[in-house]
Amino acid sequence: MNTLKTVQVLSKTGKVLSKIVFIFCIIGFCGCIAGILSMALGVQTLKLGGITLKGILQAENISEKGVYAAMAACMIFCAGEAVLAKFAEHYFRRELSDGTPFTSGGAGEMMRLGILAVCIPIGIQIIVSIIYAASGQAVQGTIDFGSSGSVALGIMFIVMSVICRYGAEQCKKTDEGQ
């Protein structure tokens, strides 16, 4: 039973971390909207020691179109990651209420989480590439969100869901045999 206790602690930690990531993604999404609106309205939002945001952009030779594209890309990233974090939180909440990862329902949710952890980052990267292409920004100026880590994590969730489903089947057989 010591191992189950460890799994439960990890699930509680996963639930809390998922909630924190979700909140940060919402903050990032709103910050990008505020940045786009403030630039569109011409508001001088950043002025440090006589240096403005517009001055920094001109000194670095960054176009306003590039900044808009980068903020739109970050909005898409934050939205996708918020969705993924919410599904992760839902999975961990389910595992905690079930008391074990070895349930058919929990294994199904873990499978869904794994598929989403693979698909969402790839989808984000495709959408971001479209945004940059539509804005006319050079490929070298794009933001790489590094989806390979999430894809690996998603594959791991998929494999673990099959193992958990097998464990659920074995538990069911044991319960029926007694």
Side-chain angles (χ1 to χ4, degrees):
M1 287 301 175
N2 211 6
T3 305
L4 181 59
K5 187 175 180 179
T6 303
V7 170
Q8 294 303 95
V9 168
L10 290 173
S11 292
K12 286 177 188 176
T13 305
K15 180 182 164 194
V16 170
L17 290 176
S18 297
K19 189 173 284 209
I20 290 169
V21 168
F22 178 77
I23 291 168
F24 279 134
C25 287
I26 297 299
I27 292 169
F29 185 86
C30 293
C32 289
I33 289 175
I36 289 173
L37 289 176
S38 66
M39 280 192 63
L41 297 174
V43 178
Q44 294 290 336
T45 56
L46 179 64
K47 188 172 185 178
L48 299 170
I51 300 172
T52 64
L53 177 60
K54 191 171 188 174
I56 293 170
L57 294 176
Q58 287 173 344
E60 295 293 324
N61 199 21
I62 301 171
S63 70
E64 281 189 39
K65 202 187 254 189
V67 174
Y68 284 122
M71 284 193 278
C74 287
M75 282 177 54
I76 299 299
F77 173 77
C78 287
E81 291 298 316
V83 168
L84 191 55
K86 197 46 119 170
F87 274 101
E89 181 186 349
H90 188 265
Y91 164 74
F92 289 121
R93 187 179 312 121
R94 166 113 188 212
E95 194 282 330
L96 288 168
S97 69
D98 289 345
T100 180
F102 299 111
T103 63
S104 294
E109 283 194 33
M110 185 183 285
M111 175 71 76
R112 180 177 59 183
L113 180 58
I115 292 168
L116 290 173
V118 170
C119 295
I120 288 176
I122 291 171
I124 289 170
Q125 202 65 45
I126 291 169
I127 293 169
V128 167
S129 296
I130 292 169
I131 289 170
Y132 275 102
S135 70
Q137 295 303 305
V139 174
Q140 111 189 79
T142 62
I143 299 172
D144 181 18
F145 293 111
S147 60
S148 62
S150 185
V151 170
L153 183 65
I155 291 170
M156 185 181 73
F157 271 124
I158 292 169
V159 170
M160 287 303 300
S161 73
V162 173
I163 293 169
C164 288
R165 185 174 310 278
Y166 176 73
E169 290 170 0
Q170 293 303 311
C171 288
K172 188 175 181 181
K173 283 181 185 178
T174 303
D175 289 344
E176 288 173 356
Q178 291 181 351

